Amino acid sequence: MTDNPYEASPERRAQRLAETAPTECDVRVGRLVTDLIGRVADKWTMIILEVLEEHKELRFTELARKVEGISQKMLTQTLRHMERDGMVTRTIHPVIPPRVDYRLTPLGLSLGAAFCGVWIWAEKNLTEVEAARTAFDAR
Amino acid sequence: MTDNPYEASPERRAQRLAETAPTECDVRVGRLVTDLIGRVADKWTMIILEVLEEHKELRFTELARKVEGISQKMLTQTLRHMERDGMVTRTIHPVIPPRVDYRLTPLGLSLGAAFCGVWIWAEKNLTEVEAARTAFDAR
DNA sequence: TGGGCCGCTCTCCTTTTGGTGCGTATAAAT
DNA sequence: ATTTATACGCACCAAAAGGAGAGCGGCCCA
């Protein structure tokens, strides 16, 4: 990506203003949104988000068990990213076997809610997507 | 990813049933959502989706120019994935310099609409995320 | 004395991802 | 005769992601 596709074409911006804009979101935020979505939407973040929505507070090994399939490395890494983005809080209890609790912040919860739309879409259009795939593969 | 985390743990499913499940979605939906998000979250799909929302029909090289930075390989690949999932239609005109037109299906349009929620979330919480990041990095 | 628990971190190693560039068919244009 | 334009497919290579497993620090229990 040499430079930003969101600002490239003046006609495109004109069109955006002329038409009933399909997304009324600001164009310049677009890059950051893409970035954010890319970061937030990977496989593990979603699952961890979901698990932490159910059980509001979990420690490291509990998460590792619930997520089931994640490596320690990925769990640590994902949790750090989520912490950095303000999605989870990490509280260390200085006890004898170390204990660290993770829980969602309001920000994290709201993200989960935002993704609910996609979730519902997937639920609604599941069969259509699967049909499209099998039709495509059968050619 | 050795196997599917959504079907792996019996205790988790039991737990899901026992509690007031916050998402009542089917397991296949979960897989599709993860899969879908993983796909849409890649760098190019989102941008192509957006570009095709604005100009409803575009040919290959037009897309290549609008997206600006994408390699031919990635453009082809991403379009094939989107076609397989039923997001775009691909019409080949058997003319002398080949001509192929791409446009969004209703399914593709509705997906764009579904992701609008996440888009809006990101737009709304952008500053908060950035603040969290700088705060985290300053430690 | 020697495990074992917990929450990591670090070091390999393999897999995946993505870019570059070449080949291809075909007819019109030069 | 050669070039040009179009929409790719294919082979090759570099970079990044991600998994496996070892180590570690400190205290408790046998």
Side-chain angles (χ1 to χ4, degrees):
Chain A
M1 179 162 43
T2 55
D3 58 1
N4 175 14
Y6 286 94
E7 307 203 29
S9 153
E11 346 125 20
R12 187 170 155 198
R13 307 193 64 159
Q15 227 166 13
R16 198 182 259 281
L17 289 172
E19 296 169 7
T20 60
T23 64
E24 66 278 2
C25 316
D26 185 9
V27 173
R28 293 175 312 175
V29 209
R31 260 196 317 172
L32 297 160
V33 173
T34 311
D35 178 59
L36 233 170
I37 292 191
R39 178 141 323 149
V40 142
D42 73 83
K43 183 182 168 189
W44 299 123
T45 307
M46 284 269 303
I47 301 178
I48 292 174
L49 197 69
E50 203 201 344
V51 169
L52 280 179
E53 265 176 11
E54 298 175 23
H55 321 75
K56 54 178 219 160
E57 188 163 47
L58 289 175
R59 52 194 304 192
F60 188 82
T61 41
E62 286 173 335
L63 268 169
R65 266 194 300 275
K66 303 263 179 214
V67 171
E68 176 119 19
I70 196 170
S71 63
Q72 282 192 339
K73 179 184 169 182
M74 276 299 103
L75 183 53
T76 308
Q77 201 175 102
T78 309
L79 284 171
R80 285 298 130 81
H81 280 150
M82 293 174 79
E83 191 194 357
R84 190 174 109 97
D85 289 348
M87 307 289 168
V88 298
T89 58
R90 179 167 172 268
T91 49
I92 312 167
H93 304 280
V95 291
I96 309 306
R99 174 194 183 95
V100 182
D101 286 331
Y102 295 92
R103 72 163 62 198
L104 287 182
T105 62
L107 193 63
L109 279 167
S110 69
L111 177 66
F115 265 102
C116 230
V118 185
W119 203 275
I120 289 167
W121 180 93
E123 195 178 36
K124 193 178 297 176
N125 299 101
L126 173 66
T127 58
E128 198 168 348
V129 171
E130 281 180 345
R133 284 184 182 173
T134 53
F136 183 91
D137 294 343
R139 299 183 329 183
Chain B
M1 175 165 46
T2 56
D3 58 2
N4 172 16
Y6 285 95
E7 308 203 32
S9 155
E11 343 125 19
R12 181 163 162 206
R13 307 193 63 163
Q15 227 164 13
R16 200 184 258 281
L17 289 171
E19 295 169 7
T20 59
T23 64
E24 67 280 0
C25 311
D26 185 12
V27 173
R28 287 190 316 171
V29 181
R31 265 192 309 178
L32 180 65
V33 171
T34 314
D35 182 59
L36 234 168
I37 294 210
R39 176 141 321 148
V40 164
D42 77 62
K43 191 176 164 188
W44 302 121
T45 306
M46 283 266 300
I47 301 178
I48 291 175
L49 198 70
E50 207 202 342
V51 169
L52 279 180
E53 263 176 12
E54 300 174 23
H55 321 75
K56 53 178 219 160
E57 188 164 45
L58 289 175
R59 54 192 302 193
F60 189 83
T61 41
E62 286 172 336
L63 269 168
R65 265 194 301 276
K66 302 263 180 215
V67 171
E68 176 129 16
I70 196 171
S71 64
Q72 283 191 338
K73 180 184 168 182
M74 277 298 103
L75 183 54
T76 307
Q77 202 175 101
T78 310
L79 285 171
R80 284 299 128 81
H81 280 152
M82 295 174 78
E83 191 195 357
R84 189 174 109 95
D85 289 347
M87 307 290 168
V88 299
T89 57
R90 178 168 174 267
T91 49
I92 312 168
H93 305 279
V95 291
I96 307 307
R99 176 195 181 95
V100 181
D101 286 330
Y102 295 91
R103 71 163 63 198
L104 287 183
T105 62
L107 194 64
L109 279 167
S110 69
L111 178 66
F115 264 98
C116 227
V118 185
W119 201 275
I120 289 166
W121 179 92
E123 194 179 35
K124 191 178 297 174
N125 299 101
L126 177 63
T127 58
E128 196 168 348
V129 171
E130 280 179 348
R133 283 185 186 172
T134 53
F136 183 91
D137 294 344
R139 301 183 326 183

